[in-house]
């Protein structure tokens, strides 16, 4: 019974590794952006708006190509989720090894403070 659970642990660690590899590739692409392609567009200036308040208009930066990949957060979420799941499977397997039977509600403890852990 425990061996299939440990297979699930390794499987999820492998999946997390795939997502981490994708994140590392995304990071390499960001690191390869040529700094000479980055330009500043516009100039800083102050204006008075319709309400009589001063507005500061700031220049914006053009990176030439996007350096942020919107899939970054998805890959990070999948990696973290798979690692969390691996911890849950591991705790479940350890409970079976320790007690000889399944115990409902077992999971890896993640708490905000020590009192929640108890």
């Amino acid at each position: 019974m425990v061996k299939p659970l440990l297979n699930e642990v390794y499987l999820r660690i492998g999946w997390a590794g795939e997502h981490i590899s994708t994140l590392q590739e995304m990071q390499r692409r960001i690191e390869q952006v040529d700094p000479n392609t980055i330009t500043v567009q516009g100039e800083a200036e102050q204006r008075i708006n319709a309400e009589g308040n001063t507005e500061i208009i700031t220049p914006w930066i053009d990176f030439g190509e996007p350096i942020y990949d919107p899939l970054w957060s998805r890959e990070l979420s999948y990696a973290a989720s798979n690692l969390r799941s691996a911890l849950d499977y591991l705790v479940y397997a350890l409970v079976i090894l320790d007690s000889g039977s399944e115990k409902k509600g077992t999971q890896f403890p993640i708490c905000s403070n020590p009192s929640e852990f108890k």
Side-chain angles (χ1 to χ4, degrees), residues 56-94:
I56 298 176
I57 309 300
T58 58
W60 56 280
I61 298 174
D62 181 6
F63 291 97
E65 63 179 85
I67 63 168
Y68 171 74
D69 190 330
L71 300 179
W72 180 273
S73 58
R74 181 188 75 179
E75 293 298 319
L76 182 60
S77 171
Y78 288 166
S81 177
N82 279 299
L83 290 172
R84 167 62 197 230
S85 180
L87 288 171
D88 286 341
Y89 273 100
L90 180 60
V91 167
Y92 190 70
L94 290 172

Side-chain angles (χ1 to χ4, degrees), residues 34-51:
D34 182 357
N36 295 320
T37 64
I38 299 172
T39 57
V40 176
Q41 304 290 326
E43 294 184 20
E45 58 184 274
Q46 288 185 358
R47 295 185 189 162
I48 305 296
N49 64 20
E51 291 82 32

Side-chain angles (χ1 to χ4, degrees), residues 5 11 14 39 56 68 82 87 93 96 98-99 102 107 109 118:
L5 292 174
L11 180 65
T39 57
I56 298 176
Y68 171 74
N82 279 299
L87 288 171
I96 292 172
D98 182 57
S99 67
E102 291 183 27
Q107 66 180 23
K118 294 176 185 175

Side-chain angles (χ1 to χ4, degrees), residues 3-13 15 85-86 89:
K3 188 172 181 178
L5 292 174
L6 292 179
N7 289 341
E8 292 292 330
V9 172
Y10 292 123
L11 180 65
R12 279 158 176 75
I13 290 172
W15 289 344
S85 180
Y89 273 100

